[in-house]
Amino acid sequence: MSNGVDSRSSKVAKSALIVPLVQPSVEQMLTAMHQAARMGADMVECRFDYLTNLPTYQELENLIKSRPEGIGIIATCRPTRQGGKFTGNENDRISILSSAAQAGADYIDIEMDVPESSWPDGKIILSHHDFTSKPANLQEIFNKLDASRATVNKIVFKATSPEDAIEALNLIGKSAKPTIALAMGEPGLMSRILAAKFNAFGTFAAMEKGLESAPGQPTVEEMKTLYRWDAINSETLVYGVIGCPIAHSMSPAVHNAAFAAGGINAVYLPLRIEAGGENFNRFMDAAIAADWLDLRGLSITIPHKENAIAYLGEENCDELSRQIGAINTIAIAPDGSLRGINTDYAAAIDALCSAMRIKPAELAGREVAVIGAGGVARAIVAALAHYKAKITIYNRTFQRAEKLAKEFGCLALPLEKVEQISHEIVINCTSIGMFPNVDESVLTEEVLSRVRVVFDTVYNPPRTRLLELAEKAGCLTVSGVEMFVNQAAGQFEFWLGVPAPRELIKKTVLDRLNISS
Ligand code: NAP
């Protein structure tokens, strides 16, 4: 590791999962503290600034003395100037913290703008928060924290992109003492989950949605079941999905479940990167330069599939990906070299051919109607053309269909002409019928009665209206779920070189879509 990151491992035995308690009364805080302990928290942060009334010493002492066994307590009373809720005077604020220290709180969080002469006795977490952006003088602020006599450094700022999270993680590596360094908001999520890999003092997780004390905090359940918190250590390899939006991606659930089932020491994260090649490039440059991050693989989704192939260079991607002009998977070697593939086309062809019980080469000469001319249609048309199928492309925006058809030597027709379809195979590559418009179908039952095989790439819902009508019309049907499972399995196998747990992946997808397999 190139930046002395490994020295961090001696700083704390294990990163703490810290649950902020943001209840309005001391009594509710105590109940929540016990609930947090049952959920598996290591520490709680009592956010006294959320209390409706100033607590008495007796109340504080009762709260702290009634803690569940083994639970550490951080006392915090954040003023509004640092993003907290406390609006009272500074003397009262410091007095609450001093009382908490006296009553037995393990750590007292003090903002770095408080003069040292006012610090309560006890172990101090010296903190700085910026809820608006990453401070321009981040390093300077951090150096001050690290040089202070406080026990723990804490720096938290708003992220605009995951590379801000990488910067936060790097601070942990450079620190002389236990550190919390977090990038807030969805783009910063990586800093929260990987805190355990870099042996941060801790990370914060909300007891449930709505009880976050800062933007981007996952819940305890998400940390433990989705993001494998308890399994993360300094050897954990990092994977993720780049896209925007990304919050509802099923990929983290799918790949983390697959890693867990295979006993693979890896974690998979959502990485929100705004549209634009420059944003994609900036993240990739930062991630590859940070070799200590152990980033080994990326899934790429909308709107970055074309940016990804441009970043890697066509020479680092397979032949069909080059023709498609987009990749959805990157493997990163320990030396930072990159290889890209597109698992979408093979996923679609496998789904279709295994349902038809034919080999891909047997697609040659078969009549296929592809409806849609977007990214998925492009990957499928390229693959079908490769196997010499006879393709007709139908699209709402006819010029788009024409352009795609010209490139791959197919026929193009406007969407209205789908009424005339009588091809052996039909593939829907539009979003028609996708949740929430689940009653829509791009084709009628009458048209479908002239078709043999219907493949809907839409996977939410798994059984679309189109597939229901196709079944009624006696067609062989193929669900977008099969394609989704195949593309995820293809990524897993490309990264790890071992067979993917396909059944588990399918179950995870269907569970996420609330359907039992
Ligand atoms: P895209 O690039 O945005 O293309 C969308 C396509 O749908 C375009 O052809 C568009 O026509 C057409 N379209 C959208 N709304 C329409 C409407 N109301 N009426 C007629 N045509 C409409 O999206 P994509 O990445 O290709 O994704 C397409 C679909 O594939 C998604 O909806 C998703 O369900 C599915 N998908 C499946 C998987 C899987 O693994 N199973 C993976 C990714 C995506 P215009 O050109 O006229 O706009």
Side-chain angles (χ1 to χ4, degrees):
M1 295 193 178
S2 64
N3 69 344
V5 167
D6 38 0
S7 67
R8 68 190 82 203
S9 52
S10 58
K11 283 178 215 150
V12 292
K14 177 181 174 285
S15 289
L17 193 61
I18 308 166
V19 171
L21 303 181
V22 294
Q23 289 65 31
S25 74
V26 174
E27 204 178 22
Q28 286 165 294
M29 219 174 240
L30 181 58
T31 307
M33 192 189 285
H34 282 265
Q35 197 183 334
R38 284 193 297 275
M39 292 173 84
D42 303 303
M43 266 190 206
V44 292
E45 181 190 38
C46 294
R47 288 291 302 260
F48 295 126
D49 51 312
Y50 278 72
L51 294 178
T52 314
N53 300 310
L54 291 186
T56 63
Y57 180 79
Q58 209 48 54
E59 283 176 318
L60 288 175
E61 188 178 44
N62 182 46
L63 173 74
I64 291 165
K65 298 255 181 293
S66 311
R67 72 169 89 184
E69 209 178 312
I71 280 282
I73 294 181
I74 301 171
T76 300
C77 190
R78 188 89 59 229
T80 47
R81 67 173 191 276
Q82 284 274 311
K85 296 222 180 289
F86 192 81
T87 51
N89 73 55
E90 190 67 357
N91 285 343
D92 284 347
R93 195 174 79 82
I94 300 295
S95 155
I96 292 170
L97 293 172
S98 299
S99 299
Q102 207 185 327
D106 301 286
Y107 295 91
I108 311 297
D109 183 313
I110 284 280
E111 301 71 24
M112 72 183 293
D113 56 7
V114 175
E116 209 176 313
S117 53
S118 303
W119 293 7
D121 290 338
K123 287 190 255 178
I124 299 293
I125 298 176
L126 195 61
S127 65
H128 180 77
H129 295 76
D130 192 329
F131 280 77
T132 57
S133 62
K134 184 178 76 181
N137 57 342
L138 180 67
Q139 191 63 53
E140 194 187 316
I141 295 170
F142 190 75
N143 291 346
K144 278 192 192 153
L145 292 174
D146 212 25
S148 78
R149 71 164 178 85
T151 309
V152 178
N153 306 319
K154 181 182 181 198
I155 186 148
V156 182
F157 59 87
K158 186 178 170 221
T160 51
S161 176
E163 64 261 23
D164 292 337
I166 296 176
E167 247 184 277
L169 293 168
N170 197 28
L171 291 175
I172 304 169
K174 289 180 177 166
S175 65
K177 57 190 180 202
T179 293
I180 299 169
L182 297 170
M184 288 185 284
E186 198 187 339
L189 183 63
M190 176 199 258
S191 66
R192 298 185 180 278
I193 297 164
L194 295 185
K197 175 173 171 65
F198 298 112
N199 236 332
F201 177 78
T203 200
F204 292 82
M207 211 148 63
E208 58 187 69
K209 290 241 178 288
L211 294 181
E212 301 87 358
S213 61
Q217 248 170 36
T219 62
V220 174
E221 200 199 332
E222 284 169 339
M223 284 299 266
K224 283 185 169 273
T225 57
L226 178 57
Y227 297 123
R228 314 194 65 205
W229 173 258
D230 293 315
I232 296 175
N233 57 34
S234 62
E235 302 303 313
T236 301
L237 301 180
V238 179
Y239 294 80
V241 54
I242 290 181
C244 188
I246 205 67
H248 294 107
S249 168
M250 288 194 291
S251 296
V254 162
H255 286 288
N256 283 320
F259 290 156
I264 296 157
N265 188 358
V267 63
Y268 185 102
L269 315 166
L271 301 164
R272 183 190 167 105
I273 295 177
E274 300 297 316
E278 67 288 1
N279 294 327
F280 182 86
N281 295 350
R282 211 174 35 244
F283 169 75
M284 289 302 292
D285 287 347
I288 290 161
D291 58 349
W292 45 269
L293 192 60
D294 295 333
L295 184 66
R296 288 287 173 273
L298 291 165
S299 307
I300 314 292
T301 186
I302 291 171
H304 289 298
K305 291 185 183 185
E306 289 84 7
N307 297 332
I309 198 166
Y311 185 84
L312 264 70
E314 290 194 347
E315 65 283 7
N316 293 311
C317 302
D318 66 299
E319 169 60 28
L320 217 46
S321 296
R322 283 186 233 169
Q323 282 181 33
I324 296 165
I327 51 171
N328 73 338
T329 316
I330 297 175
I332 305 162
D335 68 359
S337 59
L338 307 173
R339 279 183 311 132
I341 56 163
N342 189 322
T343 65
D344 285 336
Y345 68 80
I349 296 295
D350 284 355
L352 180 64
C353 290
S354 50
M356 291 177 71
R357 296 174 191 277
I358 59 170
K359 295 200 174 70
E362 292 172 69
L363 286 167
R366 291 183 196 249
E367 304 241 345
V368 186
V370 172
I371 309 174
V376 166
R378 189 176 169 79
I380 290 180
V381 165
L384 289 170
H386 175 80
Y387 291 114
K388 300 190 169 45
K390 285 174 72 182
I391 310 156
T392 311
I393 303 168
Y394 297 82
N395 197 46
R396 179 177 62 180
T397 310
F398 179 58
Q399 296 89 319
R400 232 178 150 189
E402 259 187 323
K403 189 167 173 280
L404 188 58
K406 200 167 162 204
E407 222 176 309
F408 291 99
C410 338
L411 193 65
L413 287 171
L415 188 63
E416 299 77 64
K417 300 275 183 189
V418 292
E419 294 301 316
Q420 297 167 7
I421 278 179
S422 60
H423 299 61
E424 181 187 0
I425 302 165
V426 171
I427 307 178
N428 175 39
C429 300
T430 73
S431 44
I432 298 172
M434 188 169 92
F435 180 84
N437 304 315
V438 294
D439 293 329
E440 292 177 5
S441 167
V442 70
L443 299 178
T444 61
E445 198 178 333
E446 197 225 315
V447 175
L448 290 163
S449 66
R450 301 193 293 267
V451 174
R452 193 167 82 82
V453 184
V454 177
F455 174 14
D456 197 344
T457 64
V458 171
Y459 56 80
N460 185 12
R463 214 78 204 138
T464 57
R465 180 82 183 128
L466 173 67
L467 292 186
E468 276 171 13
L469 292 177
E471 236 167 44
K472 267 198 190 168
C475 308
L476 178 65
T477 60
V478 188
S479 161
V481 169
E482 301 303 327
M483 176 178 164
F484 188 91
V485 170
N486 287 347
Q487 63 81 27
Q491 296 187 323
F492 183 98
E493 289 166 4
F494 179 60
W495 292 326
L496 299 160
V498 294
R502 281 170 190 263
E503 282 311 310
L504 174 75
I505 291 175
K506 186 167 178 179
K507 183 179 179 312
T508 309
V509 171
L510 293 174
D511 282 352
R512 281 262 145 179
L513 296 170
N514 283 327
I515 311 284
S516 61
S517 48

